[in-house]
Structure formats: structure tokens, C-alpha cells
Amino acid sequence: MSLSFQHLTSTKQLSREDTDAILKISGEMEDVLEKGGSDLLADKVLAALFYEPSTRTRLSFETAMHRLGGKVVTAVGMQFSSLYKGETIEDTMNVVGRYADIIVMRHPEQGSADTAASVSPVPFINGGDGPGQHPTQALLDLYTIQKERKKIDDIHITMVGDLKFGRTVHSLSFLLGLYNNLRFTLVSPKELTMPEKVTSFFKEKGIEFTETQDLEQGLDADVIYMTRVQEERFEDKSEFERLKLKYVLEAKHVKGKDITVMHPLPRIGEISEDVDPLPNAAYFRQARNGVPLRMALLAMLLGKA
Ligand code: NCD
């Protein structure tokens, strides 16, 4: 199965055919994982360039590559490396793209992924560009919704927290726009509302959405997607302190209800630990879904699926 693109920088570039194929191959990768892995990508090298901290994204990409028999070269804390030293992203891509067969990059600047993809000699994947996009997180979120709810159409999803700077909710909103009869409740402080680029997309597509500051109004959803207030995007730290724990989801909000609780993680207190033992708590399963999803994507972009 092939994809309609060579580089993945944004969920806006995905078609329904792409997501159908990615979700299907992710399911097949669960069987590969069950067997402990395969050698599908034995002759391939992934370069992982992280200019910003990452645990889940980096480790799940590395795990995915290893499970398919591939190799990984990683550069973290890039601002301290000799490659960086003021080098342009274009030059870095031109160098690293001559070492590796595929590149994943996380970078603090919005738009950096498009710059990288425009010159990369090998397939390029955006692992998060500042407050912009995080397409592989959105794909694993989509895969999680499908697994947890057994459907993606006709879902009411409540997104909570830092909808302004949280790139995962931007990417996921665009991706869910490929499906039918979705409804969004957007819960955030007024300082951290969903950007216009997303709300205008909802309007264009005729997608129903409600914006509120009240968490209680979002509790009749099928999925509640909690997010962390993105401390690193605040110039004024006192503003961050004031907004950081405006919404905390507790067991009493979801216990006994048919609501799936998701979070891209890390959580910094937004979900109380008393939610963890409940069947509603899907966030650790969600993190684990990143492995088969990224296995699928790596194999497909490398023309091996
Ligand atoms: C997210 C990110 O980096 O945008 N984390 C992740 O990739 N799982 C969410 C976050 O950092 O809040």
C-alpha cells in the first residue's frame, strides 16, 4: 500500500485513503509485535533529530524501527551539537539525508518541518514543530479512538486545556475532519482557546463545535482528550502558573460513564491518579499504540508495506 505523500509534516495533507491504509497496516503491525518483531526494515537507518525534549515520540520511533529490524541514529539536545552551530535546517537535512534512509525531527519553531521536508533527500517525518503540528501523535490518537470506540464517525470529542499551544489538538482536529458527523466541545481558559486556523477549518467543513470554559459542559462526550499547559511556550511564567491547573479530571467525572479518557502525555496533574485504574483511562494504551502506528508509517514511507 502506498501513501499520497513522501514527507509527513501536517495532518492536513492526509486523505481518507491514507488514514484507512495507515490504520489497517498499524493493525497488522500488532501481529508483528506479537511475534516479537520482523526484519522488514533490516537494511534501513532512521535518523532521529530532537531539538526539543521528547520521551514518548523519540522512544516509540526508535522502538518501532528496532522491532522492524532497522537501525537508528539519534541526536538529542541538538542545540549543543556541532551540526547545529548556527547551521540552517536545510543544510542539516542535506547532510543527514545522506546518512540515513528516513528522518524524524522535532524542532521548537512552527514551520520548521515544512522547511526540512522541502529539501530532504529522503522521507521526512515531523515529530512536532513548536505549537504547529504533531501528525504522528494525531495518527496514533486516531488509531486509539478506533480501537477504544470501535468507530471514528459519529464521535463527540471534548478537548481540554491548552488548545492554543497544544500541537496535538491542532493535528487531531484536522485529521478528524476526514470523518463524518463529528462534534467537538473545546474547553479552555479564554487565554488558551483553539486558534483560528482550526476553528475556521471547522466552519468551512460544517463541523459542529462549542467553546466553553466549563469542564462540566464537556462531560457528556464519547472521548475526553486532556492536554498539558505548554509551559515552554509561555514568555510570562506567572501566566503559566496561573493557568496550569485550571482543569483537573478526576474519577468522579467519568466513573461509571461510557467516556474514553485520552492524553498525549506527559500529564502534569491534569488527570488525577484516581482515574488510572478505571476502564475509561486509555492514555497508557494510547501511548503504546504509538509503536504499531509508527512501525506502519516507517514501513509505508520506505515503500516496504
Ligand atoms: C506532546 C507533544 O510533544 O506535543 N507529547 C507527545 O509527543 N506525546 C504533548 C505535550 O508535550 O504536552
Side-chain angles (χ1 to χ4, degrees), residues 38-62:
S38 83
D39 59 2
L40 188 69
L41 301 183
D43 56 346
K44 301 294 182 191
V45 174
L46 165 73
L49 308 181
F50 282 84
Y51 294 84
E52 252 196 354
S54 167
T55 308
R56 276 146 295 273
T57 302
R58 181 160 75 86
L59 293 188
S60 62
F61 261 113
E62 293 192 2

Side-chain angles (χ1 to χ4, degrees), residues 216-257:
E216 298 288 332
Q217 280 193 33
L219 293 177
D220 69 341
D222 303 299
V223 174
I224 180 154
Y225 190 104
M226 299 296 295
T227 65
R228 164 182 79 90
V229 177
Q230 306 279 301
E231 179 174 7
E232 61 275 41
R233 315 272 176 241
F234 282 77
E235 276 165 25
D236 178 356
K237 292 296 167 196
S238 64
E239 176 84 340
F240 163 72
E241 289 297 328
R242 194 170 63 76
L243 298 173
K244 72 177 178 189
L245 282 180
K246 197 107 198 282
Y247 305 106
V248 177
L249 191 77
E250 295 174 41
K252 67 174 188 207
H253 294 124
V254 294
K255 197 170 181 176
K257 297 186 190 161

